[in-house]
Amino acid sequence: MGLLDGADRAAGDLAAAGGPGVAVAPRPGALAGLTVLEVGVFMAAPFATMQLADLGARVIKVENPAGPDPTRTTGPFLQDPDGHRHSSPFARLNRNKESVALDLKSDAGRSAFLRLAARADALVENLRPGALRRLGLGPDELAEVNPGLVYASASGFGQDGPLAALPGLDIMAQARSGLMSITGTPDGDPVKIGVPICDLVSGLYTALAVVSALRARDRDGAGQSVDVSLLESGVSLAVWEAGKYLATGEVGRPLGSAHQTQAPYQAVRCADGFVTLGAITPKTWDGLCTALDLPALRDDPRYRDSSSRHALRAELIPAIEAATATRARAEVVAALEAAGVPCAPIEDYGQVFTDGHLRERDYFWDAEHPDLGPVRQLGSPMRLSGTPARRGPAGPVLGADTRAVLTEVGASPEEIDAALAALAVAR
């Protein structure tokens, strides 16, 4: 287990009440009792540890006071009553974490970090491959002080191989993984997926790998290294493209919003926007033709099945849009829903972040920040009935927990003073 058993820490986040006057003892978070160190920047490692923290793990974010996580300087910014600016993305991506400021290039900083690692369950980092190893803090060195430590590294192209030393940002991974080759419209310019998908997916894989390695440690008694790359995370998503190429040799191309093999399964134009629909089974295809009053399409033998319709999309979709383009989105959605056809309007984030369904499910919540007050958060999609996701503080102020955490692990007064002095200079 980690620095603390985590039960008390998680209990405050999961308070619940029974009937009048009856208090119900909350269950600790699913990962309560685990301590995870993060040496992360931007997205992959911080997103991975956010998942672990949401599930109850204690996450200690270790940052260089002179060069902290660059997300702290990424806008837009929120301003506290004293006029100090705080990164809005950082406050959300790093919720439920503690912050310790250490200069890992200094003897005192390395010594303090080794004390943390000796009592942690996992380390998650996404620096350039070999960066921590060059500081004497690689997997082998940390295994000497903690044989049970799970050492997880997320990087652009992996810890070895001919591309390992290259900087690996999300867009490079999207490019090399093939994702950008199938994103966008036919004959259009290259387009990346709107969110940093390789960063985010590699973070999810890293979190899953950490939990799996900890399960193996509980069974076998030994820690291990975890190597997750943005590139391989992106390639792993090519399920349909691999099925096509490895069977036929055909290379996937951009299809706009259309499905790779079935139709109609895409966005269609309405009078006031677009609606997505998926009518790929006999029942839903009949429902679409009925809802949109398209009996000629339904009775046309060329459209007898989804694969046939996919081959004739160039003429099929305009025929469907002839029926939808003059109607409002709400009207089209209502008609398709009544006919049992899967569909949804395309909404922008102004609509998403105020969506009634998500509000009804209590998806959004406010995390307290010591300087900003409540900071609205995106909820965790992992809904555990007995050990719900933690709803704790927003992303921490740089170094806010340095003294408390280092004291807890038995750091020397010299190590603590050095850390606080470096933090004071950085501020």
Side-chain angles (χ1 to χ4, degrees), residues 57-389:
R58 182 184 186 186
V59 173
I60 300 172
K61 186 178 180 75
V62 178
E63 301 175 79
N64 184 338
D69 184 344
T71 305
R72 288 189 181 274
T73 59
T74 300
F77 296 95
L78 304 171
Q79 187 165 300
D80 67 28
D82 295 326
H84 300 126
R85 299 198 311 165
H86 304 264
S87 166
S88 178
F90 184 93
R92 292 165 173 82
L93 184 59
N94 292 280
R95 66 187 184 215
N96 293 327
K97 303 178 186 179
E98 300 168 56
S99 174
V100 170
L102 292 175
D103 179 3
L104 299 182
K105 295 181 179 179
S106 70
D107 291 340
R110 282 195 299 275
S111 177
F113 186 81
L114 287 170
R115 292 181 186 274
L116 290 171
R119 299 177 65 180
D121 296 284
L123 164 70
V124 178
E125 61 95 7
N126 69 324
L127 306 182
R128 292 279 285 271
L132 285 180
R133 185 176 289 108
R134 288 189 290 273
L135 296 175
L137 300 173
D140 294 338
E141 291 86 355
L142 296 194
E144 291 181 5
V145 300
N146 185 351
L149 184 72
V150 171
Y151 193 114
S153 299
S155 61
F157 305 109
Q159 298 300 301
D160 53 26
L163 301 179
L166 296 179
L169 303 180
D170 175 81
I171 193 172
M172 286 83 205
Q174 287 201 36
R176 286 188 181 270
S177 69
L179 289 174
M180 287 182 68
S181 76
I182 60 167
T183 303
T185 57
D187 302 320
D189 291 338
V191 177
K192 73 176 182 66
I193 295 169
V195 298
I197 189 69
C198 292
D199 266 331
L200 297 171
V201 172
S202 68
L204 293 175
Y205 278 139
T206 299
L208 176 60
V210 166
V211 172
S212 300
L214 289 171
R215 173 67 182 91
R217 184 200 65 178
D218 291 344
R219 183 190 64 210
D220 305 330
Q224 60 181 297
S225 296
V226 171
D227 177 1
V228 177
S229 75
L230 274 66
L231 173 61
E232 291 167 0
S233 297
V235 174
S236 76
L237 302 178
V239 177
W240 289 110
E241 289 67 33
K244 180 184 295 183
Y245 178 79
L246 297 177
T248 69
E250 182 181 353
V251 176
R253 300 299 181 196
L255 296 172
S257 64
H259 194 276
Q260 294 93 326
T261 63
Q262 304 189 66
Y265 186 104
Q266 66 179 82
V268 296
R269 186 180 301 276
C270 298
D272 56 350
F274 289 84
V275 167
T276 61
L277 53 86
I280 58 178
T281 67
K283 182 177 180 180
T284 55
W285 170 243
D286 182 74
L288 180 142
C289 293
T290 300
L292 299 181
D293 192 21
L294 297 170
L297 295 185
R298 180 185 55 216
D299 298 336
D300 192 327
R302 297 178 304 156
Y303 300 142
R304 65 187 180 279
D305 57 46
S306 181
S307 295
S308 300
R309 293 192 292 271
H310 187 271
L312 297 172
R313 280 186 309 108
E315 57 185 73
L316 173 63
I317 300 306
I320 293 174
E321 287 188 327
T324 61
T326 59
R327 307 184 192 185
R329 291 190 311 165
E331 179 186 352
V332 171
V333 168
L336 293 175
E337 287 181 342
V341 180
C343 63
I346 295 179
E347 297 193 335
D348 62 35
Y349 279 118
Q351 296 166 313
V352 172
F353 296 151
T354 56
D355 182 81
H357 175 79
L358 294 173
R359 289 202 311 269
E360 181 69 21
R361 282 174 55 81
D362 193 31
Y363 176 76
F364 303 107
W365 58 283
D366 291 330
E368 282 298 320
H369 187 280
D371 299 325
L372 296 170
V375 178
R376 180 52 55 103
Q377 302 285 326
L378 303 183
S380 172
M382 297 177 284
R383 293 176 178 263
L384 284 69
S385 63
T387 55

